[in-house]
Amino acid sequence: MLRPAIVVALATLLASCSSDLSPLREAYMQAVPKPKPVAAPDFVAGSRKGEAEYLPVGVSAPPRQVRAKSSEGTKALAAELEGARGANEAKGRAAENAGRATKPAAAAP
C-alpha cells in the first residue's frame, strides 16, 4: 500500500520539474554547466547594422502623421484608377479576341 503512494509522490515531484517555480528544476539548472556563447559568423555580423534602433517589446511605435487628401486629390486619384481600369479591360478584350482568332489544334485520330 505504501509503494503506490511513493510512486505517485515521485511522479508528482518529477512532473513539477517543468514548472518555472520548481526547486528541482532550479537545482538542475544550477548543476548543469551553461553552454559557451558562440560568436556570430562573419557574414551575419557583417550584415547587421551596428547602431540599429529597435523598439523594446511591449512598446508601441509613435503614431504617424496622416494627412487626408483634398477633394481635388481624391478626384484625381479616382480618375487615375478609372483610367487604369479601362486600360486593363481593353487588354482583356484584346487577349480574348486573340484567343478566338487562333484555330485549335486538330484532334488526333
Side-chain angles (χ1 to χ4, degrees), residues 5-107:
I6 292 174
V7 170
V8 169
L10 185 61
T12 304
L13 187 63
L14 290 177
S16 68
C17 289
S18 63
S19 170
D20 286 342
L21 304 174
S22 169
L24 282 178
R25 180 182 180 277
E26 193 62 36
Y28 174 77
M29 295 302 286
Q30 295 296 326
V32 173
K34 297 196 178 10
K36 296 178 184 175
V38 178
D42 293 336
F43 71 91
V44 173
S47 66
R48 293 182 179 164
K49 296 178 183 176
E51 51 195 44
E53 294 181 17
Y54 299 104
L55 288 175
V57 174
V59 176
S60 299
R64 295 181 180 177
Q65 297 280 338
V66 178
R67 291 180 288 165
K69 288 189 177 287
S70 64
S71 61
E72 295 85 22
T74 305
K75 289 177 185 176
L77 178 61
E80 180 184 340
L81 292 175
E82 284 294 325
R85 178 176 144 196
N88 286 337
E89 287 176 351
K91 288 179 185 177
R93 283 191 299 273
E96 186 178 4
N97 291 336
R100 286 185 188 147
T102 60
K103 294 181 183 177

